[in-house]
Structures are given as C-alpha cells and as structure tokens.
C-alpha cells in the first residue's frame, strides 16, 4: 500500500506551524549533541532533561572527545539524578571506542554500545538529514493508531515507519512524528481534531485499541538494610560493583537486619522493583575501605537512593 503524499505533506506543514523548534537539540547539527539528547530522552521527560541535565552536561563535556578523555566517575557525576546509569556508561564507552568522533553511517552507529537502530537513525536524520525513519515510543504509538495495529511488532512498525517517511524532509518528518506523539496523539485523550494524520487515520475511531494495552506486571518490593558507618566525622561508602548502579558510590546494603540504631526508612522505585531500605547505624564493626567528608561526597556520583539516605542523616543533625 502506498501512502498518499498529502498526509506526508500534512505532517510536514503541521511541523512548520506547531513543532517544538526551540528545543536546543533542534538548533544544532552537531551529531554529539543530538546523540546526547537522544540518550538522555530515552527514559526521561523532555522537561527534566531540559531544565536539569542537558546544559550542565554539555558545559562539562562540550565534545564527545571530552567525554572520551574523562574518567567514568566524572561522567557518572554529571548523570547523577538522571537514573538509568547504563546510558552514561555506554556513552563513555562509545566515546572512548570511537575516539570522540562518531561514525557517519547508521550501520556503524548502530554497532556502538547503547546506540540502537532508532537512535542511529535519529542521529543521521537530525544531524545529516538522511532519509531514515525513527521508531521511539511516541512514534510507535502514532504508527499503531494511524495504521490500526493492535500488537506492537518491531518488524511491522519499521515497515510502516519507512512507508510513512517523507524522504524529501526526513528531519522535519521525524521531529513532527515525535511531537505529534508527545503533544497530539498522547497515550490518553489523543486530540484527533488537531492531528495532521486524522483524515486518513485508521485508528482514530478507537485510538485506545491501538496498540492493545498490555497489563503491566506489578513491580515487586525488596526490603533491605543500609548501613551508615562513621569514622572521625567521615562516612563510609563503597563503589558499587553490581550491574544496577555500577560505578556509583553509596552506603553498604545488606539483606540481614543488623544490630544497631535504627535511623529511618527510605524508598526508591526502579523500573523493575521497589526498594525499601531501613537505615541503621551498626553497632558491630563493618570493614569499609573508603571514608569521606561531606564536602568530598559532594564530588562523588551517588544514586538517588543514597542521596535520600544523606538527606535523612542531615535531617537528624
Ligand atoms: S488521528 Fe487521532 S489516533 Fe490518529 S494519529 Fe492522529 S491523534 Fe492519533
């Protein structure tokens, strides 16, 4: 089935009039800045990235080369609070692997750690105006509704994304599709009246059916204990080795309830589980190599849950 040019043109015109042109990563053709924004936006809202992370990160690391030359700890520090730290580690790894210069081809880009096919296409479409479609979460929803696709199937969605792509204006087309997903064809209450795809959209009579909602499994709760060990006014921290939060500094966590003074509770919800921590000052000796002053801790990359523990400690002073 061919797609009439008119819907592609309608998307293009809609973007000219309604697109979020002022987003800073749309005001540049620097592939690194576009790549950074794509990675930051993968799991995080535009508002958060814009207000808290994008500019400070670029100030500290203005080029991919500067990321490649920095220790991972520094990159993690600038990522602190953004979560999903694998993104920062992959960025650092990729910067190092390609010696600070991103390759131009989508195939080579897609072979780098943390850069999937859609991100590779986004970099090429936005930095070099290459005629490639993208397929992020918002675009998937728009495609599912426009083509009345009930089950999200990557292969089918890529075919549809190619079909709808305006090859003459790939930059505008892809930005428009993301904006339509974010502003018009929203998960709840899509604004079909304001949508440039409405006149040929197959799913507009029952958008909630496309794609069919998948029941989310309830996230399990893990109960653990955090140990606050002090020595000469300094706090004992470890650098995490486990996959989740690898490389970040934090308080020791254990599964067994320790002997000691109970200081309070902190909670944090990750994508796949909720962590409930009872925070203790242990009465028995715990071997920790590294102790830091509060000033020194400010320079370490800590996860959100460990920051919550620090806040708890400060509230007790
Ligand atoms: S017409 Fe409605 S359902 Fe179809 S793509 Fe636009 S907003 Fe989504």
């Amino acid at each position: 089935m061919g797609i009439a040019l008119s819907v592609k043109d309608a998307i293009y015109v809609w973007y000219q009039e309604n697109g979020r042109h002022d987003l800073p990563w749309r005001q540049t053709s620097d592939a690194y800045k576009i790549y950074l924004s794509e990675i930051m936006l993968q799991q995080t809202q535009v508002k958060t990235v814009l207000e808290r992370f994008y500019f400070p990160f670029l100030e500290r690391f203005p080029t991919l080369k500067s990321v490649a030359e920095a220790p991972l700890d520094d990159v993690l520090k600038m990522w602190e609070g953004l979560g999903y730290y694998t993104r920062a580690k992959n960025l650092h790894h990729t910067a190092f692997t390609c010696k600070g210069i991103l390759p131009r081809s989508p195939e080579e880009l897609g072979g780098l750690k943390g850069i999937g096919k859609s991100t590779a296409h986004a970099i090429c479409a936005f930095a070099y105006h290459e005629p490639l479609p993208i397929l992020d979460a918002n675009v998937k929803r728009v495609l599912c509704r426009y083509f009345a696709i009930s089950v999200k199937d990557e292969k089918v969605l890529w075919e549809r994304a190619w079909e709808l792509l305006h090859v003459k204006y790939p930059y505008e087309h892809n930005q428009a599709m993301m904006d339509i997903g974010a502003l018009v064809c929203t998960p709840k209450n899509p604004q079909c009246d304001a949508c440039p795809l409405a006149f040929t959209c197959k799913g507009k009579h029952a958008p909630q059916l496309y794609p069919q909602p998948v029941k989310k499994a309830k996230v399990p709760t893990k109960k653990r204990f955090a140990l606050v060990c002090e020595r000469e006014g300094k706090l004992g921290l470890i650098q995490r080795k486990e996959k989740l939060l690898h490389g970040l500094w934090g308080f020791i966590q254990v599964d067994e309830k320790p002997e000691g003074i109970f200081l309070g509770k902190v909670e944090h919800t990750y994508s796949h589980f909720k962590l409930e921590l009872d925070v203790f000052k242990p009465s028995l000796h715990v071997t920790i190599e590294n102790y830091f002053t509060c000033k020194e801790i400010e320079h370490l990359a800590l996860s959100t849950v460990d920051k919550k523990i620090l806040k708890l400690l400060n509230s007790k002073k």
Side-chain angles (χ1 to χ4, degrees), residues 11 14-15 18-20 23 25-26 34 37-39 41-42 46 118-119 121-123 125-126 132-143 164 170-187 196-197:
I11 294 170
W14 181 91
Y15 182 68
N18 304 286
R20 295 176 290 181
L23 292 173
W25 43 88
R26 293 186 182 178
I34 292 164
S37 70
E38 286 293 319
I39 299 292
L41 291 165
Q42 269 171 13
V46 168
S118 183
T119 305
H121 283 199
I123 295 168
F126 299 148
L132 299 164
I134 62 164
L135 200 55
D136 72 0
N138 280 331
V139 175
K140 282 181 186 173
R141 184 174 56 258
V142 177
L143 291 173
L164 194 59
Y171 176 96
E172 291 81 357
H173 175 85
N174 285 315
Q175 302 287 22
M177 289 296 283
M178 291 200 296
D179 286 357
I180 291 165
L183 308 171
V184 181
C185 194
T186 45
L197 295 114

Side-chain angles (χ1 to χ4, degrees), residues 4 43 54 67 81 102 112 124 128 170 174 183 258 270 274 312:
Q43 321 272 357
Y54 182 72
V67 178
L102 283 173
L112 293 166
C124 292
Y128 316 123
N174 285 315
L183 308 171
Y270 297 97
K274 182 177 169 190
L312 172 77

Side-chain angles (χ1 to χ4, degrees), residues 198-259:
F199 67 102
T200 44
C201 177
K202 287 187 178 170
K204 72 176 171 199
H205 300 298
Q208 69 283 1
L209 296 180
Y210 309 106
Q212 288 275 0
V214 183
K215 260 205 173 161
K216 277 193 184 159
K218 203 170 169 262
V219 288
T221 299
K222 268 190 200 173
K223 288 185 191 294
R224 301 194 83 197
F225 303 89
L227 307 183
V228 174
C229 304
E230 279 187 83
R231 196 175 72 190
E232 295 158 10
K234 296 179 177 184
L235 289 170
L237 301 178
I238 55 160
Q239 194 164 28
R240 303 214 181 280
K241 299 264 185 292
E242 62 272 24
K243 193 162 176 250
L244 182 77
L245 310 182
H246 182 100
L248 296 178
W249 289 87
F251 294 90
I252 287 192
Q253 289 178 20
V254 293
D255 292 316
E256 297 283 316
K257 186 177 175 185
E259 295 289 327

Side-chain angles (χ1 to χ4, degrees), residues 67-208:
V67 178
E69 288 167 355
L72 174 61
D73 275 358
D74 290 12
V75 178
L76 287 172
K77 181 65 191 164
M78 293 310 296
W79 208 268
E80 193 183 71
L82 191 53
Y84 299 94
Y85 294 92
T86 309
R87 295 181 294 176
K89 278 175 263 163
N90 287 342
L91 170 66
H92 184 254
H93 185 274
T94 285
F96 188 76
T97 312
C98 63
K99 299 188 175 66
I101 300 166
L102 283 173
R104 277 282 303 247
S105 82
E107 292 78 18
E108 278 180 89
L109 278 166
L112 293 166
K113 219 171 176 184
I115 302 187
K117 186 173 169 182
S118 183
T119 305
H121 283 199
I123 295 168
C124 292
F126 299 148
Y128 316 123
H129 293 246
E130 282 192 35
L132 299 164
I134 62 164
L135 200 55
D136 72 0
N138 280 331
V139 175
K140 282 181 186 173
R141 184 174 56 258
V142 177
L143 291 173
C144 281
R145 287 176 175 168
Y146 182 70
F147 291 101
I149 299 168
S150 307
V151 182
K152 275 194 247 172
D153 175 303
E154 287 282 315
K155 190 169 169 285
V156 172
L157 286 172
W158 273 114
E159 283 167 13
R160 296 307 201 189
W162 276 106
E163 206 177 314
L164 194 59
L165 177 69
H166 200 320
V167 287
K168 198 169 160 201
Y169 301 112
Y171 176 96
E172 291 81 357
H173 175 85
N174 285 315
Q175 302 287 22
M177 289 296 283
M178 291 200 296
D179 286 357
I180 291 165
L183 308 171
V184 181
C185 194
T186 45
K188 285 181 188 155
N189 307 319
Q191 309 292 311
C192 299
D193 291 347
C195 179
L197 295 114
F199 67 102
T200 44
C201 177
K202 287 187 178 170
K204 72 176 171 199
H205 300 298
Q208 69 283 1

